Amino acid sequence: MNWDRIEGNWKQLKGNALENWGKLTNDDMDVVNGKREQLVGKLQERYGIAKDEAERQVDDFAGRY
């Protein structure tokens, strides 16, 4: 699924994202609001990982949906 479709279905998919990344909060998900770059930034912030790793995780997540 491309990111445009994820963004459009964010309300349905945000629960899956919360399951995938337990350190993210509902408030984080509201800020992200389906935006890929916002999600990458929140992952970097909460997990202390590099941008490349955060982008890989987001791409893996997108590939499942």
Side-chain angles (χ1 to χ4, degrees):
M1 176 180 284
N2 68 28
W3 198 261
D4 291 333
R5 290 181 66 193
I6 289 174
E7 192 172 338
N9 293 315
W10 185 246
K11 289 187 189 292
Q12 292 87 359
L13 292 175
K14 87 177 187 181
N16 297 29
L18 285 170
E19 287 178 14
N20 198 55
W21 295 292
K23 290 184 180 180
L24 296 179
T25 65
N26 278 321
D27 288 340
D28 290 335
M29 292 292 106
D30 290 342
V31 169
V32 168
N33 196 32
K35 305 288 189 241
R36 185 181 183 283
E37 287 304 312
Q38 293 284 350
L39 180 55
V40 168
K42 285 294 179 188
L43 290 176
Q44 287 180 268
E45 180 182 326
R46 295 282 185 241
Y47 287 90
I49 57 177
K51 184 174 183 178
D52 290 348
E53 174 61 18
E55 287 178 339
R56 186 194 62 75
Q57 289 184 22
V58 169
D59 289 343
D60 288 348
F61 174 78
R64 289 193 302 266
Y65 301 100

